[in-house]
Each structure stands twice: as structure tokens, then as C-alpha cells.
Amino acid sequence: MSNPQQLRYSKEHEWLSAAEDGVATVGITEFAANALGDVVYAQLPEVGSTVTAGESCGELESTKSVSDLYSPVTGEITEINEDVVDDPSLVNSAPFEGGWLFKVRVTEEPSDLLSADEYAAHTTG
């Protein structure tokens, strides 16, 4: 399992792209997608709503369980991935590409986000 080096990661298994014009993209990692199993439903935060770093902002339902979705940053939701709402399996098949979940205008970023190597160590040890 290879975590893209340009992303940052939360200990709750979300990834975060670098902010472009203040807006970052968020998804769940391949590790989390594999642990969940086949995702069959995605409840994502509403556009315009505010999310807080480390707090639940939606959920993913799989054939195995229901899992909370946590925001890795604080900010305002600017877009959700409608493709994932229509086809939640994208979370499993392309977690770092087409399976992204939402975009957020970042107002606060916690200092404890991990690099790809730190996240790999977190998930193996």
C-alpha cells in the first residue's frame, strides 16, 4: 500500500491535499477503505456547513460496518463529491483519486497531521 507523498494524513485515516486558493481536498486512505470493506453508502457534510478538525462530519457505511468520517481540518465545505454519493464503491476502487469525499476552505489546520511516512508507521505499528 503506497500513500502519496504530497498528501498529509490524520490518525483517524483521512488524507488532505495541499490547499489551493485556501481549499483542500479530503478523502479516506486506502488503509481505511480496505479495513471498511465494500463501501455502500456515503453521508457527506453539506456544502456551506462548517467542519471542525477531529470531529465527525459524516459517515461511511460498508458491508462490514458504519464508520464516522472525521474532518482533518477546520473550515467550510465548498464541494462534495457527488460521484461518491452516487457510487460509494469509488472510495474503495480509487481512494486517492475519484474517491475523494469533500473540499473544504481551510480556516485552521492542526499541527499533528502526518507525512506519508509517518502515516505508514502509524498504520503498521
Side-chain angles (χ1 to χ4, degrees), residues 70-91:
Y70 296 93
S71 179
V73 294
T74 298
E76 180 184 342
I77 301 299
T78 62
E79 183 181 350
I80 63 166
N81 188 345
E82 293 290 349
D83 291 341
V84 164
V85 173
D86 295 339
D87 182 6
S89 70
L90 287 170
V91 170

Side-chain angles (χ1 to χ4, degrees), residues 22-103:
V23 177
T25 303
V26 174
I28 67 164
T29 64
E30 185 176 3
F31 177 88
N34 289 340
L36 272 172
D38 295 333
V39 176
V40 296
Y41 176 75
Q43 178 199 343
L44 303 178
E46 291 185 25
V47 172
S49 65
T50 301
V51 292
T52 302
E55 292 189 8
S56 177
C57 63
E59 55 184 38
L60 297 173
E61 184 177 328
S62 73
T63 54
K64 291 182 181 178
S65 67
V66 175
S67 180
D68 282 333
L69 174 64
Y70 296 93
S71 179
V73 294
T74 298
E76 180 184 342
I77 301 299
T78 62
E79 183 181 350
I80 63 166
N81 188 345
E82 293 290 349
D83 291 341
V84 164
V85 173
D86 295 339
D87 182 6
S89 70
L90 287 170
V91 170
N92 300 104
S93 64
F96 296 115
E97 295 89 26
W100 62 273
L101 300 175
F102 60 88
K103 294 187 180 191

